[in-house]
Amino acid sequence: MPKTTTISATCRWHNHPRTATVEVSTAALQDYMRGTLVQTAFPDLTPNQREIVIDQRARGAYMCEECWQEMAYDEDEED
């Protein structure tokens, strides 16, 4: 059975911390940390799940799906 790693990331946008987790293959995570593109290393993850993985390399970069939608809505209002 392949080894897995659970990754968590906390969205700190808009002062409402939300933590999300995803379980990934340890081998794929190692590939990603060595420079493999996130979409290549984790083709079965959703874009939001990949954002959780990306936070492992760029701490503080994670924005939950709800905040992404709020930000997109705010930008639409400016037009």
Side-chain angles (χ1 to χ4, degrees), residues 13 16-17 19 22-23 25 32-33 41-42 48-49 55-56 65-67 72:
W13 296 83
H16 55 242
T19 300
V22 65
E23 192 167 320
S25 156
Y32 170 68
M33 297 303 277
F42 305 100
N48 195 50
Q49 289 172 320
D55 191 67
Q56 289 298 294
E65 191 170 353
E66 190 174 315
C67 287

Side-chain angles (χ1 to χ4, degrees), residues 16-66:
H16 55 242
R18 292 187 182 106
T19 300
T21 61
V22 65
E23 192 167 320
V24 298
S25 156
T26 302
L29 180 60
Q30 290 170 344
D31 289 344
Y32 170 68
M33 297 303 277
R34 289 186 196 115
T36 300
L37 295 174
V38 70
Q39 62 269 33
T40 302
F42 305 100
D44 297 333
L45 296 183
T46 66
N48 195 50
Q49 289 172 320
R50 290 183 192 138
E51 290 294 326
I52 297 167
V53 175
I54 289 168
D55 191 67
Q56 289 298 294
R57 291 178 91 179
R59 288 287 182 194
Y62 176 68
M63 183 184 291
C64 69
E65 191 170 353
E66 190 174 315

